[in-house]
Amino acid sequence: MNHITTTDLLEHLKWRYATKQFDPSKTISPEIWTALEDTLVLSPSSYGLQPWKFLVVTSPEIKEQLKPFSWNQSQVTDCSHYVVFTIKKNLTAEHVDHFIARTAELRGGTVDAMAGYRNLIVSDVVHGARSFNVNDWSTRQVYIALGNFMTSAALLGVDTCPMEGIEPVNYDNLLGLTAKGFTTVVACAAGYRSEQDKYASLAKVRFLNSEVLETL
C-alpha cells in the first residue's frame, strides 16, 4: 500500500476549513461520493458496535425543509451532499447480537464461540454502568465518524462544514427517525467552496504546539 507523505497530509488539513459558502452549481462526483460513504462505514467505534446511521440528503426539497431547523444556514441548501449523523437510541442486546453475527459472518467461526465477548459487551453497554448514559456514549462514537469523514473529504479535495447549529428534535420528526429508534446528533455539509467565501483565505487559528501538546 502506498501511503501519502506527511507533507501532503498536513497541506490538506491546512487547506480544510469550516466552509461558510458552498457553490451550489458544483456537485460531488458519484465516484468520490461513494468513497466518502465508505469512509463513514469504515469509521472506528468502541467495541466496533457502530451505534449509528448516516442519512445522506441530496433532495433539494428535503434540504429546504431542514434549513429552518438549521438556523437558516445556507450550507444546508447550497452544499452538494448533506449528511445527518444519528445514533441508535438505548442500545439493546439485539444490536449486540447483530454485531456478533456480522463478525462471525466476515471472520469465520460461530456465534456460540463468541459468546464470551458478546456477554462482555452486553454486561457493559446494555446492563452495566455505561447503560445509564449509553446515548452519550453513542454520541461520542458518532463524533469519531464525523472527524473521519471530514478528514477523508479534505484528502479528496472536498469541502465540509460540521453543523451543530441544528434542532435535533425537528430533524427527527422531519426525517422519521423517532419511530425507527434513532435520533439526530450533528450534521455535516459537503461540497465545494464558493469563490466568494472570505473565510477560505483567512489564517487558520490554532494554539501553539507547545500549548496543546505534551510528551511524557
Side-chain angles (χ1 to χ4, degrees), residues 46 116 208:
S46 184
L208 295 172

Side-chain angles (χ1 to χ4, degrees), residues 20-174:
K20 300 300 186 293
Q21 287 183 260
F22 285 91
D23 185 339
S25 70
K26 295 182 179 179
T27 303
I28 301 171
S29 71
E31 178 184 8
I32 290 178
W33 185 253
T34 296
L36 287 175
E37 285 189 341
D38 286 342
T39 68
L40 289 169
V41 174
L42 290 169
S43 294
S45 59
S46 184
Y47 289 123
L49 274 185
Q50 308 153 73
W52 50 47
K53 183 183 288 288
F54 311 109
L55 304 185
V56 180
V57 183
T58 58
S59 163
E61 292 78 17
I62 297 178
K63 288 181 182 179
E64 286 289 349
Q65 292 172 19
L66 288 172
K67 188 175 180 180
F69 305 136
S70 314
W71 299 3
N72 285 312
Q73 295 176 88
S74 63
Q75 294 99 314
V76 178
T77 49
D78 291 346
C79 70
S80 172
H81 293 64
Y82 191 63
V83 184
V84 180
F85 291 71
T86 80
I87 60 165
K88 189 174 184 62
K89 293 189 293 185
N90 306 318
L91 290 179
T92 64
E94 286 74 21
H95 182 83
V96 178
D97 289 339
H98 180 51
F99 166 68
I100 293 296
R102 180 64 171 161
T103 302
E105 175 189 353
L106 294 176
R107 294 183 175 178
T110 65
V111 169
D112 289 342
M114 299 184 65
Y117 186 49
R118 180 263 185 200
N119 292 337
L120 170 66
I121 299 173
V122 170
S123 67
D124 179 23
V125 176
V126 180
H127 300 306
R130 201 185 306 274
S131 66
F132 295 105
N133 62 354
V134 68
N135 291 337
D136 291 337
W137 176 82
S138 294
T139 294
R140 292 193 291 273
Q141 307 309 308
V142 92
Y143 273 95
I144 297 174
L146 173 64
N148 190 48
F149 175 75
M150 292 172 62
T151 298
S152 300
L155 292 173
L156 293 175
V158 173
D159 290 299
T160 57
C161 183
M163 309 278 290
E164 282 194 311
I166 62 176
E167 300 173 13
V169 172
N170 287 322
Y171 267 53
D172 291 353
N173 291 335
L174 177 62

